[in-house]
Amino acid sequence: MKKLLAVVAAVAAFSANAESLTVAATPVPHAEILKFVQPQLAKEGVELKVKEFTDYIQPNVQVAEKRLDANFFQHQPYLDEFNKAKGTSLVSVAGVHLEPLGAYSSKIKTLAELPSGATVVIPNDATNGGRALLLLNKAGVIRLKDGGNILSTVKDIAENSKNLKFRELEAATIPRVLTQVDLALINTNYALEAKLNPEKDALVIEGSDSPYVNILVARPDNKDSDAMKKLAAALHSPEVKQFINEKYKGAVIPAF
């Protein structure tokens, strides 16, 4: 009985002293990576709660409104554009991994097979839409004015020799229309959720030199908290690097 009481007391003491972090994340791979570090953080006195989202808007809105502590789903160009558009001041805490964006098709095996007038779907958010167009520009499918940039839009296409028709959809919905279009530009997290293999299934994919590193994001008022520092350190651990390499086999690349 005394031993039982001692255990209960120890648990109660831990609960009273434990720091808590609630972090928003898209399911794959972000939430999976966060769940992997939960046991380590628990040993360090941090209770990590993971709240999954399937969109790119609410995770930032809820962190800015202090309903959540942090999020893990986006890259710096997207965050910069979000802050500018919404008047928020969210900040990067740590860069964790790269998810190369790729072009997929259920109808053709190579980009050379794209027929005239083919329908191509790209993300409708500013940075990932520009990113998709940059990938197609690099692959020679289209030519952008002045080589393009992260904020390029379909209006910046200077040469479209195959008269491709571009549709813009929310990134999360693009895998659902893959069989209905000729080519779809899909973020790796959504490609993995759709059971696509980026290394094998993508007709063209960003290289490891891509600048779009996925980051842990917080507010200026909590970015330097002890718990946030412990989470950032855990995400940069050799164990996380090994987990990413073994689980995603090149579809997700550690950036540390």
Side-chain angles (χ1 to χ4, degrees):
M1 186 65 179
K2 289 182 179 179
K3 289 183 178 179
L4 178 59
L5 290 173
V7 170
V8 171
V11 171
F14 173 81
S15 299
N17 295 324
E19 300 169 278
S20 177
L21 280 179
T22 302
V23 182
T26 45
V28 182
H30 306 86
E32 292 177 341
I33 295 171
L34 289 172
K35 290 174 183 177
F36 176 77
V37 302
Q38 278 177 324
Q40 178 58 41
L41 287 171
K43 292 178 183 178
E44 298 178 28
V46 178
E47 181 186 10
L48 176 62
K49 301 174 183 177
V50 181
K51 186 172 182 180
E52 296 187 15
F53 288 80
T54 57
D55 74 283
Y56 285 172
I57 305 298
Q58 283 303 309
N60 276 338
V61 170
Q62 294 196 27
V63 172
E65 294 177 348
K66 297 188 177 182
R67 288 187 278 163
L68 298 171
D69 298 304
N71 65 52
F72 180 35
F73 75 95
Q74 66 195 311
H75 50 65
Q76 188 68 52
Y78 181 89
L79 176 61
D80 291 342
E81 189 64 22
F82 186 93
N83 279 334
K84 181 180 178 181
K86 304 295 184 181
T88 49
S89 56
L90 302 176
V91 295
S92 172
V93 177
V96 181
H97 69 267
L98 169 69
E99 297 174 24
L101 181 141
Y104 300 82
S105 178
S106 63
K107 299 181 178 181
I108 59 174
K109 298 297 183 183
T110 68
L111 290 177
E113 297 174 27
L114 265 177
S116 179
T119 299
V120 179
V121 62
I122 64 174
N124 67 357
D125 62 274
T127 53
N128 283 307
R131 183 180 177 188
L133 293 173
L134 284 172
L135 181 60
L136 295 176
N137 180 79
K138 186 176 181 180
V141 176
I142 58 173
R143 185 174 65 81
L144 295 171
K145 297 174 184 175
D146 302 318
N149 59 67
I150 187 62
L151 296 179
S152 291
T153 70
V154 292
K155 294 180 181 179
D156 296 309
I157 298 175
E159 185 177 315
N160 182 4
S161 60
K162 291 193 174 183
N163 194 29
L164 303 175
K165 296 177 175 62
F166 286 88
R167 290 175 55 192
E168 298 173 87
L169 297 175
E170 184 180 349
T173 68
I174 294 179
R176 301 175 204 164
V177 302
L178 180 59
T179 60
Q180 303 167 34
V181 300
D182 297 288
L183 193 69
L185 280 291
I186 305 176
N187 295 77
T188 288
N189 58 313
Y190 294 132
L192 292 172
E193 287 177 33
K195 307 303 180 185
L196 293 167
N197 184 323
E199 281 199 307
K200 295 181 180 179
D201 298 330
L203 305 189
V204 63
I205 196 165
E206 290 174 332
S208 59
D209 59 344
S210 170
Y212 307 110
V213 173
N214 280 223
I215 52 180
L216 174 66
V217 169
R219 297 182 304 276
D221 67 281
N222 71 348
K223 69 181 180 67
D224 294 318
S225 71
D226 188 53
M228 199 71 69
K229 288 179 179 178
K230 289 177 180 177
L231 174 55
L235 291 173
H236 278 186
S237 68
E239 291 79 12
V240 164
K241 180 175 286 189
Q242 182 178 358
F243 173 79
I244 291 173
N245 286 333
E246 291 181 355
K247 183 170 182 65
Y248 305 111
K249 303 185 186 305
V252 179
I253 303 168
F256 58 92

